[in-house]
Amino acid sequence: MSTDIPGVDTTVDNGVLRVTLNRPTRMNAVTTETLDAIADAFAKHAGDAEVRAAILTGTGRAFCTGADLGGLDISGPPSSATIDAANRAAAAIRAFPRPVIGAVNGPAAGVGVSLALACDLTIATESSYFLLAFTKVGLMPDGGATALVAASIGRARALKMALLAERMPAREALTAGLIADVYPDEEFATTVDALGRRLADGPSEAFHFTKDAVNDATLVELDNAFARERSGQIDLLAAPDFHEGVAAFMEKRPAVFGRV
């Protein structure tokens, strides 16, 4: 069975739900609609007894390069629509009752990091990297990233990623504990399929209870993070630094931020 929504492809095959970001010409940058489609896919299949594992991945060269700033209208009052959709997508992945593989097939940036880390087993290609790029446009991490990243690698590394907006290569992410494993690019698709099959053939209820126990113990601040990020992001979206950050991004130049 497969369903196609613009920007997201969803298939179920032999007990494995595969949710694929499919905007390769935009490096799988997401819109509000794309994020809602991800959330809808996981929510729709949460009660499907035939689904025993899930995979979230991307098409083409990227996993997800964050929110799509192309054509963004920032002239009006700030909207929470994309933030709310990002939070809903991350929450739906976290709440899914079966193990979810985050198959990072290329760069994961911005909210792409949140989506990847909301999964239970996050693996990546050797050529991949992780980038919290929000401060480059005068924003803060969202989609639960402030909790998801810190829960994986601790406060010091999380703040370094969030404040400096530097790439963390996949091998470094593995060493830091941000992700579960790294595989050669040419072996990645086969590895993802084999891991999905292994989970689908395993003890689903044992996986369910294990997933919930570990996540409940380590992501106790996730819901609060959603709320804090939403509040902060709304303020930042209305600030001059965001307008300058977007203009600089579009013009491919360094941003010149103001002084508070």
Side-chain angles (χ1 to χ4, degrees):
M1 177 181 68
S2 80
T3 58
D4 295 335
I5 301 167
V8 177
D9 294 343
T10 304
T11 63
V12 177
D13 183 35
N14 291 323
V16 179
L17 167 67
R18 184 181 288 262
V19 180
T20 305
L21 291 165
N22 189 12
R23 304 186 76 218
T25 61
R26 301 296 299 169
M27 296 287 282
N28 294 327
V30 291
T31 63
T32 301
E33 293 74 21
T34 309
L35 291 163
D36 279 336
I38 294 169
D40 289 344
F42 282 99
K44 175 183 176 181
H45 292 282
D48 186 348
E50 297 301 312
V51 172
R52 299 170 62 86
I55 297 167
L56 177 66
T57 192
T59 297
R61 297 183 295 119
F63 173 72
C64 172
T65 54
D68 191 346
L69 297 180
L72 182 67
D73 181 8
I74 59 174
S75 60
S79 169
S80 67
T82 300
I83 304 163
D84 292 338
N87 290 349
R88 182 170 169 249
I93 296 167
R94 158 62 188 91
F96 195 71
R98 302 299 181 222
V100 182
I101 300 167
V104 180
N105 58 297
V111 74
V113 175
S114 304
L115 296 173
L117 298 187
C119 299
D120 305 301
L121 282 173
T122 304
I123 61 175
T125 60
E126 286 185 331
S127 65
S128 299
Y129 63 81
F130 297 81
L131 171 65
L132 291 178
F134 298 91
T135 57
K136 289 187 174 182
V137 291
L139 296 178
M140 66 179 289
D142 59 24
T146 56
L148 292 163
V149 175
S152 298
I153 61 176
R155 175 176 176 269
R157 283 193 176 104
L159 280 169
K160 182 181 179 183
M161 281 190 72
L163 293 176
L164 300 184
E166 296 174 343
R167 294 183 181 186
M168 180 180 282
R171 283 287 174 193
E172 184 180 337
L174 175 61
T175 301
L178 188 70
I179 60 176
D181 221 334
V182 175
Y183 297 94
D185 288 42
E186 62 273 15
E187 299 174 10
F188 192 67
T190 301
T191 300
V192 170
D193 289 344
L195 187 55
R197 182 78 270 126
R198 177 177 175 181
L199 291 174
D201 289 341
S204 290
E205 282 305 289
F207 286 160
H208 180 189
F209 281 107
T210 299
K211 164 180 174 160
D212 283 353
V214 173
N215 284 333
D216 285 347
T218 57
L219 296 178
V220 293
E221 278 295 306
L222 185 57
D223 287 341
N224 289 332
F226 288 147
R228 284 190 293 263
E229 292 166 358
R230 185 184 192 276
S231 176
Q233 208 73 300
I234 290 295
D235 287 345
L236 292 170
L237 285 167
D241 275 352
F242 173 61
H243 291 255
E244 165 60 13
V246 172
F249 175 81
M250 295 300 182
E251 295 164 13
K252 295 181 171 52
R253 60 171 174 82
V256 181
F257 295 121
R259 300 292 184 266
V260 177

